[in-house]
Amino acid sequence: MACHATAAVALDASYFNLPSQPLSASLSAIGTQSSVNIVFDASLVDGIIAPPLNAELSIDQALARVLKGSGIQHRFLDERTIVLSATASSNSASRPSKRVATTGALLMDESAPSARLRLAQAEQAASTSTAEVAKSGESLEEVVVTGLNFNYQTVESANKMPLSTKDTPQSLKLITEDVIDFASIKSFEDAYKIDASGVAAHAQDGYIRNFYRGFRVSYGSGTNTSAIKVDGFRMTGGINLDLAPFERFEIIKGSTSTMYGQSQVAGTLNAISKKPQAEPGGSISVEGGSYNHYRADFDAYGALTDDQRLQGRIVAAYLDEESYVDYGFNKRYVIAPSIKYEFNDDTSVLVRAQYQNYDFSVDFGRGLQYLGGDPDAAASYRIPNVSRSLYTLGMPVSKAATEALFLQAVAEHRFGNDWMFRGSVQSNHFNGERNALGHYGVMSPDGLLPVTLYDNENDDDVFSGEVNLFGDVELFGRDHTLFFGFDYARYDGSQQQGYLVASGETTGFGINDLDFSLLPRHPSSIGAYDPDQLPAGTFDEVGVFKGKYDNKEYGATLQAILKPTDDLKVILGARYSKAELATSEACCSIEEYRAPLGPYQRIEADAWTYQAGMTYAFTRRVNGYINYGDTFVPRTDVGEDGNFLGPERGKSYEIGFKGDLFAGRLSWSTALFRLERGPLAESVLNTPYSRLLGEQRSQGIEVDMQGEVLSGWDVYLSLAAMENEYVGGEFDGYPSPFGPRAGASFYSSYEIQEGAWRGFGAGGGIVYKHRGTIRPFFGPAAGARFENLFDDYTEVDLRVFYYGLENWRFELGVTNVFNELYYSPDGQDLSVEYGISPNPAREFIGRITRTF
């Protein structure tokens, strides 16, 4: 990776918020925040005051701004080392003579007797060997400094303002592009691999599911409470996005309603898109693996004009693969162009688009097998004893075709007093069709299977806009930060669905006779789910549903970051939210389906939500924090009596500590938390109705650590233990199936830094989840205690790689090394009749990447 550092560093865009201060202090902050070495002669910067910095910039851009007009230039020696020197017209001292291997901004003071190198942030001498090298006066040599980036220091998702991770009074999961790659995270739901309190459903129906701290976050097409945000904007839950266009994502645990409006208390995942860069660079990669897996990725960026004010980027990916289950496949392509124009150092406009086309096999999981005996006893049921590949029992007609288009524009302006204005608009369009064979109901003792033929069509549009203004004000002799925000979103869409249910006794279809010709003919359209058009005796139930919705949500936010002392920060926030929800639905006869939809049923709801947090720096490396927040989720759920169910409210409490080690290269945190939400609503399958479940409570502890331990050695650790149950009402004391009682995730990578084996590396990860008793809410054996239905599981991943050749990467990985088999519920229906799916089987994938 030697000599292509500019491209690698350009990818590391961070939000810098630095005051006007001595240049050496700004360089130290940039180096520490970006985990790079900035090497320079102390006399070169002596007496120079750097301008303020308040923008999201690459390291290259940040240095260009603080060095502007100073007579100093910077050069990338490698991806972790930057050298400063005087420009040709400057009489400043010459550049230092040798690279160093310590992360941070380093000063070289040749006037000192030992000419020692110092870590400016830590104020401590570098190693003797490093100092001797610097003193030797040797000329600069080409070096290779490689390694993965498992950490960064500044986040914006929690507060929509740049704030260090230590000063953010909430638990955060920072998932860099290298972590995504190394942990084989292929979808947002795969975050369970590096989040000890999370789980995955492993469903293959194309919907987004998220489980944080034992809480399920709503999903599905048209839902406005999806846990996923794209660059801070809400998105529909109806499609699993490819991760190629994103440089990282951040998970904020607990309440986010004050900043993001109507959202559930479990947490929010904000996916941050790759942005245009001034310096040219990019990569192209190809990969192949098990189950005829083939994938190609392309990423290119750089300035489009000589003055670098116009910058562009294009990201594209293509995937074609089969699956570990019979008839399974995924075909997807995505293209994401973006362009940015900088009018000056203070004003810019960014326009971005993303289009994805995704065809895949649909599977909704299946239920348990009834063994005979007492139908209300847990011992009378088991997971069917069939292989993983046969478990879902799909068929060739189970297919889906979806597409999504995102358009986004962002304008930013920094005022002379360093206040920042940001205005954003985004338009999303999604449409999809799913034609599937499902299995709703338990398998009979002799292996006969109930089946459901299912057709679903969605067409959704989301328009969002927001304006934010934030900056510092002086009060009582100290600077404090204020944030003002207003946002608006409109969701407009439609859905129609047809379903046909046939028991195993009706069709004769079963695990012992997988003859798909026994099944009813799949109707040609949703309108054909007409009992008068279907052969008599081939089905037990048939129904149709259609609906449309037009929801508007808007709100205003005020937030203050108060700084009474250098060590104490108090964050206070309040938001007013209002929702205007409108739905019109028809269910469940063909006559109702064919009739025009009636007028909208309208409901309005509004609420104030509040957030309060505090951080205190006990030392320069350790902060303590405490946080409270509440949430508000309006909903259009209608009970079976035809009445609206009302909004869901939530509360989040958290206290913990955060810190860093090794000059900021390794971050750690520990948190005690308690979440409450309710009343919860659960959809009634194949109807537009929902039912109330009461409230849910989760409490526990989390410990996280991520970053670089030694040069070339990166780690990502997550530990959690919690209790999670429903409280009050009919299901008081029932445990939640959506989170482990305890979990542990550990990923690590090491790359040899020197010698003949330099560039070779290896690593891996282990994911463990301890799951407990479940009690079905509905259906067969409702209320029975299933002690070992969903066992504990351990997954192991391994990877070897070689990065020793300039501009090339070679990687070979294997996921689920020991082919561990376990099953998980998808969370749609709290019963044992539906939605249970196996985890992915062992998979080998090799990748070759060329950077430029």
Side-chain angles (χ1 to χ4, degrees), residues 150 173 179 182-183 191-197 666 703-707 709 713-720 743-750 762-769 794-799:
F150 276 25
K173 301 292 293 185
V179 173
F182 203 84
Y192 85 95
K193 301 181 77 172
I194 45 85
D195 181 9
S197 66
L666 185 71
V703 177
D704 292 285
M705 182 179 294
Q706 63 186 97
V709 179
W713 180 19
D714 294 272
V715 298
Y716 203 112
L717 172 69
S718 179
L719 305 172
S745 298
F746 179 72
Y747 278 84
S748 180
S749 170
Y750 179 72
I766 182 169
V767 178
Y768 169 75
K769 308 288 181 180
T794 302
E795 293 178 296
V796 176
D797 299 341
L798 293 175
R799 192 171 81 159

Side-chain angles (χ1 to χ4, degrees), residues 43 53 69 72 102 107 124 139-140 156 159 213 297 316 326 343 380 394 409 597 617 649 662 674 700 727 774 808 826:
S43 63
L53 214 58
I72 302 171
T102 307
L107 289 84
Q124 55 185 222
S139 60
L140 283 166
E156 192 175 351
N159 300 94
R213 289 177 170 173
D297 287 82
D326 289 354
F343 295 91
S380 299
L597 283 170
R649 300 302 299 258
F662 311 126
R674 179 185 175 98
V727 292
I774 72 157
W808 288 93
D826 75 353

